[in-house]
Amino acid sequence: MSEFAVERQIDRSQMEVSDKVAVQITHMNKWYGTFHVLRDINLSVNEGERIVIAGPSGSGKSTLIRCINRLEEHQSGEIIVDGTELSSDLKNIDKIRSEVGMVFQHFNLFPHLTILENCTLAPIWVRKIPRKEAEETAMHFLEKVKIPEQALKYPGQLSGGQQQRVAIARSLCMMPRIMLFDEPTSALDPEMIKEVLETMIQLAEEGMTMLCVTHEMGFAKQVANRVIFMDQGQIVEQNEPNEFFNNPQHERTKLFLSQILGH
Amino acid sequence: MVDIHFVRKSMIEEQEPPVATTGVAGWIRENLFSSPLNAVLSILSLAFIFYVLSALLPWIISPTWAATSLGECREILAGHEGACWGVIRERWLQLLFGFYPRELYWRVVLDFALLIVAVAPVLFTGLPRKMLVFSAIYPFLMPWLLWGGSVWNPIAAALGFVLGYYAHKLAKPTLGSLAAVILAFVIPIIWWAFLSGPVVDALASVLPLITLEGVESRNFGGFMLSITIGVVAIAISLPIGIVLALGRQSNLFIVRSLSVGFIEFIRGVPLITLLFVASTLLNIFMPPGTDFDIILRVIIMVTLFASAYMAEVVRGGLAALPKGQYEAADALGLDFWMAQRLIIMPQALKISIPGIVSTFIGVFKDTTLVSIIGLLDPIGLSTSIRADQAWNGVVWELYGFIALMFFIFCFSMSRYSMFLERKLQTGHR
Ligand SMILES: Nc1ncnc2c1ncn2[C@@H]1O[C@H](COP(=O)(O)OP(=O)(O)O)[C@@H](O)[C@H]1O
Ligand SMILES: [Mg+2]
């Protein structure tokens, strides 16, 4: 694993953490049946933060970020996203989902729609934006992820890296205030990981609030302002990246880092 | 030691693939005689085909077109084997239209011609989308042209849907979406069941705009009957099947149980039983004196039957979709119905096309079962034709003709499904 995600200087001019809270999770618990998958999670994310969530497989990272847009339901505690509490009220859920973008490990593009249609579908149907305007926005973001020329192709005709960049563009078309990434590069070949990371870094440079589950420690070091380590459904340690990598405190963190960084 | 060192000196340019087959001879060698076993099989098959055709063709090519009775056919053939085509010449109109009044045939022909116009934009997306307006009108036009009566009948029927739409629209903001959906079902049903009849009669007597001569259901017959039952059942069973398939996956216990119960009950009962229920039992449950049209009853039963099968076919398609598709739709903020309509169903139905078309074909062929409850579909007619003194003993010609007609319809459906699958193919997997 490389030390850096990209070989260039990161532009930090717009990477500011404001003191406005974007996501507030307090005493949150979740069970799958009788299995206690998330245990007393407390996490406050400010606007503009770039958080990397790491941890061994099965530690509940995916479940945690999927709770933030209610793909999974929590059973106790409180999750407040952008001032709206997540409850079973469908209106709140729809509101939050249209403000929180999500990028999946397996892209989850809609294979029966072209790239452009993938990007315009939600803006047209959820945001009720006129088709023409939605298409202009979509092209803008496709240019940003550097694949405008693929707009009329179908997802099945694109490489994995391209598909993941489309997935990012698709989320951005909804103008989200927060982006969630669930291992966006884990299903990709090494040469494609770079292009996706580059896109994510660009987003960070523009000040997007991001929560990323990833094993790309180079990305964490270069971009994140906070790294969270999870194990057995709990937040075990969190710190700013330098301290986290160079001076881990908890035994489990040390073990995990030694395994993943190979020293 | 082996020398494993290698450096390529020049890169190889892209080249044309070798031409393996040239012309007809090449094709024959490649496809029929590529190996000794293949050659033997080919020769045996060709011999078999030749044997069958040499028996069949002389029978088919038989100069009996003009004959007016089986006896006359026998005279013409003078002891040779041969078909007696006179029966088809004399009765083909009956096989197509049953006992529909001859001077009104144009209405049936017009009806099915319009059916093609109505279905075309649904089948071929290349056609102008404006044509769909006619497709929406057609379901009301179709029964009016076939059965006749006042033009107010189709208008009243359509009005039921308009009422349902406005009931939903007006009730939703005040009463909530569940109540609105219930009202959208209940109000049209009340309208159709109790109000539309008297209203139509009143309107027809005050304002008799266009009134077509009425045709009784018992005069319906032949392919026209099969097509009517088949087309209506096919068109309605797909949406009902989709709803049932969704119901079966629902989190709501009542909805799920009802869907499963309906599907399993209907699938566990032979169609012929349902048809007997339609022809006899229903009358017992109806208040005496109600005249519930037999063809309508049969159409309802065939539709329910087809819907249960359709539901299972669609469920197969739904099950084949990865969970990620639902999650992506949810994450983008699409609500349940949008996700179903825009993401889930287009893909699930595409996967299900072969199964759906198989069900369509099955339903269409199953319409021949109505002959058992006394409707004069082509099979029923063939029995009554044979009861005629002149044609007593003609079997193969009638069944052959009927089989050919069914084959044309079913084969077209099958080809269309292949066309559709190819068209909807996106990307390679
Ligand atoms: N839908 C589910 N039902 C039951 N258990 C689940 C489900 N999804 C995940 N799990 C379990 O919950 C734990 C945490 O899963 P996950 O959040 O996916 O972990 P991670 O993303 O950190 O690898 C795992 O042990 C997994 O087996
Ligand atoms: Mg995971």
Side-chain angles (χ1 to χ4, degrees):
Chain A
M1 195 157 298
S2 86
E3 183 77 359
F4 301 107
V6 289
E7 285 98 15
R8 67 172 171 84
Q9 204 58 44
I10 308 287
D11 171 14
R12 295 183 180 274
S13 58
Q14 293 182 53
M15 284 193 186
E16 298 166 6
V17 176
S18 95
D19 28 331
K20 268 182 74 182
V21 177
V23 181
Q24 177 81 50
I25 302 176
T26 38
H27 298 301
M28 191 263 275
N29 284 280
K30 172 167 178 61
W31 288 263
Y32 282 125
T34 55
F35 173 52
H36 198 173
V37 55
L38 292 179
R39 308 177 191 177
D40 193 37
I41 302 287
N42 290 286
L43 176 64
S44 174
V45 181
N46 284 4
E47 274 179 22
E49 275 205 274
R50 289 118 8 231
I51 294 181
V52 161
I53 303 173
S57 172
S59 56
K61 309 179 296 292
S62 301
T63 310
L64 172 60
I65 67 165
R66 289 158 62 89
C67 279
I68 295 174
N69 67 350
R70 195 69 165 193
L71 285 185
E72 300 288 353
E73 197 178 327
H74 62 281
Q75 275 95 24
S76 77
E78 205 179 42
I79 303 180
I80 297 175
V81 180
D82 234 356
T84 312
E85 188 188 347
L86 272 176
S87 58
S88 46
D89 186 344
L90 287 173
K91 281 226 170 60
N92 284 354
I93 295 175
D94 284 343
K95 176 168 177 289
I96 285 170
R97 280 179 179 167
S98 61
E99 279 173 18
V100 178
M102 179 145 192
V103 176
F104 300 87
Q105 180 175 2
H106 295 288
F107 333 134
N108 296 352
L109 293 179
F110 305 130
H112 63 301
L113 300 176
T114 62
I115 300 307
L116 187 63
E117 288 165 340
N118 263 277
C119 294
T120 56
L121 183 109
I124 290 174
W125 289 90
V126 180
R127 287 236 190 275
K128 315 283 183 209
I129 291 173
R131 173 174 299 274
K132 199 145 184 321
E133 202 177 306
E135 281 176 357
E136 279 163 17
T137 314
M139 286 313 293
H140 167 76
F141 284 113
L142 285 174
E143 259 157 46
K144 198 150 151 181
V145 301
K146 306 199 177 66
I147 28 180
E149 70 282 359
Q150 315 280 8
L152 298 180
K153 288 193 183 165
Y154 287 93
Q157 297 166 311
L158 268 54
S159 75
Q162 291 173 321
Q163 290 193 47
Q164 193 60 298
R165 283 184 284 152
V166 172
I168 295 174
R170 178 176 72 176
S171 290
L172 293 178
C173 285
M174 286 294 279
M175 307 289 178
R177 302 163 61 101
I178 303 165
M179 286 286 287
L180 309 173
F181 293 83
D182 190 0
E183 305 205 25
T185 55
S186 309
L188 297 177
D189 294 337
E191 74 250 48
M192 296 174 182
I193 291 179
K194 269 225 151 73
E195 59 190 52
V196 171
L197 287 181
E198 172 59 44
T199 308
M200 290 169 63
I201 289 170
Q202 231 178 302
L203 258 186
E205 286 174 330
E206 286 163 15
M208 177 66 80
T209 312
M210 297 164 72
L211 280 97
C212 314
V213 174
T214 181
H215 293 131
E216 292 299 325
M217 291 306 143
F219 174 80
K221 285 177 189 168
Q222 272 186 304
V223 180
N225 68 309
R226 171 150 54 132
V227 181
I228 292 178
F229 175 68
M230 284 185 71
D231 196 12
Q232 294 184 347
Q234 301 152 64
I235 295 180
V236 172
E237 186 165 348
Q238 51 173 316
N239 213 333
E240 55 97 16
N242 257 331
E243 276 294 299
F244 179 84
F245 287 108
N246 298 329
N247 191 12
Q249 303 294 315
H250 200 285
E251 277 315 308
R252 287 177 188 278
T253 319
K254 287 178 191 164
L255 183 67
F256 175 75
L257 284 178
S258 71
Q259 279 165 351
I260 198 165
L261 300 175
H263 49 70
Chain B
M1 239 192 93
V2 191
D3 182 14
I4 55 165
H5 181 243
F6 170 77
V7 178
R8 179 168 288 288
K9 302 240 164 33
S10 63
M11 302 301 281
I12 301 169
E13 290 294 312
E14 191 175 20
Q15 290 169 352
E16 290 284 312
V19 184
T21 55
T22 47
V24 180
W27 186 91
I28 290 178
R29 196 171 332 110
E30 178 96 334
N31 289 285
L32 299 179
F33 300 102
S34 57
S35 73
L37 176 65
N38 199 344
V40 170
L41 287 177
S42 296
I43 290 172
L44 282 179
S45 315
L46 286 175
F48 179 73
I49 292 170
F50 177 77
Y51 170 76
V52 170
L53 283 183
S54 66
L56 209 56
L57 280 181
W59 183 83
I60 291 176
I61 304 167
S62 156
T64 47
W65 188 247
T68 55
S69 73
L70 187 57
E72 215 171 294
C73 281
R74 294 218 171 100
E75 272 170 38
I76 295 172
L77 289 169
H80 293 286
E81 284 286 305
C84 184
W85 294 121
V87 66
I88 304 297
R89 179 193 53 77
E90 194 184 291
R91 297 300 183 101
W92 70 279
L93 276 175
Q94 200 181 32
L95 283 170
L96 292 185
F97 297 101
F99 295 101
Y100 207 86
R102 212 166 257 266
E103 67 280 8
L104 298 180
Y105 279 176
W106 65 270
R107 263 162 51 182
V108 179
V109 174
L110 176 65
D111 208 28
F112 291 137
L114 290 179
L115 171 66
I116 295 173
V117 179
V119 164
V122 179
L123 296 186
F124 302 101
T125 46
L127 291 170
R129 295 293 84 194
K130 289 225 173 65
M131 285 175 75
L132 285 171
V133 175
F134 180 72
S135 311
I137 297 173
Y138 182 75
F140 305 100
L141 203 58
M142 173 184 176
W144 181 53
L145 276 174
L146 288 181
W147 275 275
S150 165
V151 73
W152 290 109
N153 281 315
I155 294 177
L159 196 58
F161 287 95
V162 176
L163 285 176
Y165 173 76
Y166 279 105
H168 183 260
K169 199 172 165 178
L170 294 179
K172 196 170 178 187
T174 49
L175 301 175
S177 61
L178 183 65
V181 170
I182 294 174
L183 275 182
F185 275 99
V186 172
I187 289 184
I189 288 175
I190 292 177
W191 163 253
W192 286 320
F194 303 109
L195 299 173
S196 77
V199 171
V200 166
D201 289 343
L203 279 171
S205 61
V206 179
L207 245 182
L209 282 180
I210 317 169
T211 303
L212 292 178
E213 189 181 328
V215 178
E216 299 262 346
S217 283
R218 65 185 145 80
N219 292 331
F220 281 45
F223 277 101
M224 169 214 151
L225 180 64
S226 307
I227 294 173
T228 305
I229 298 175
V231 165
V232 176
I234 283 173
I236 303 180
S237 66
L238 185 57
I240 297 185
I242 291 174
V243 170
L244 284 172
L246 291 178
R248 193 169 186 156
Q249 294 199 325
S250 167
N251 296 328
L252 306 170
F253 177 74
I254 303 276
V255 173
R256 189 171 62 237
S257 322
L258 283 178
S259 306
V260 173
F262 176 87
I263 293 169
E264 295 305 337
F265 173 74
I266 297 274
R267 289 206 312 161
V269 173
L271 177 57
I272 193 70
T273 332
L274 295 176
L275 291 178
F276 275 123
V277 170
S279 82
T280 54
L281 271 179
L282 273 189
N283 268 357
I284 300 175
F285 293 122
M286 289 297 200
T290 37
D291 176 31
F292 192 16
D293 189 273
I294 177 72
I295 294 183
L296 189 57
R297 280 182 269 161
V298 165
I299 285 179
I300 290 175
M301 286 303 179
V302 176
T303 305
L304 294 182
F305 185 76
S307 306
Y309 279 87
M310 201 61 75
E312 287 300 281
V313 171
V314 173
R315 187 168 71 101
L318 286 173
L321 274 199
K323 203 162 137 256
Q325 293 291 306
Y326 293 89
E327 291 178 352
D330 281 347
L332 285 169
L334 296 166
D335 67 28
F336 175 82
W337 292 109
M338 280 184 201
Q340 287 298 336
R341 189 172 133 212
L342 301 168
I343 310 297
I344 307 302
M345 276 306 152
Q347 297 184 64
L349 291 182
K350 179 178 133 189
I351 298 170
S352 321
I353 289 172
I356 290 175
V357 174
S358 289
T359 312
F360 282 174
I361 290 176
V363 168
F364 187 53
K365 291 190 298 185
D366 281 351
T367 58
T368 51
L369 286 174
V370 301
S371 62
I372 296 181
I373 57 166
L375 292 187
L376 293 175
D377 85 310
I379 302 288
L381 277 172
S382 74
T383 317
S384 76
I385 291 173
R386 256 178 292 123
D388 183 336
Q389 201 72 61
W391 303 113
N392 193 344
V394 173
V395 178
W396 293 105
E397 294 80 351
L398 286 171
Y399 287 146
F401 177 74
I402 294 167
L404 180 69
M405 294 291 285
F406 271 105
F407 177 78
I408 291 172
F409 284 110
C410 297
F411 187 64
S412 320
M413 285 195 247
S414 147
R415 296 310 295 194
Y416 174 74
S417 108
M418 287 166 73
F419 157 81
L420 196 59
E421 275 175 68
R422 232 173 305 122
K423 197 184 74 162
L424 295 180
Q425 188 73 37
T426 58
H428 29 230
R429 314 198 145 202

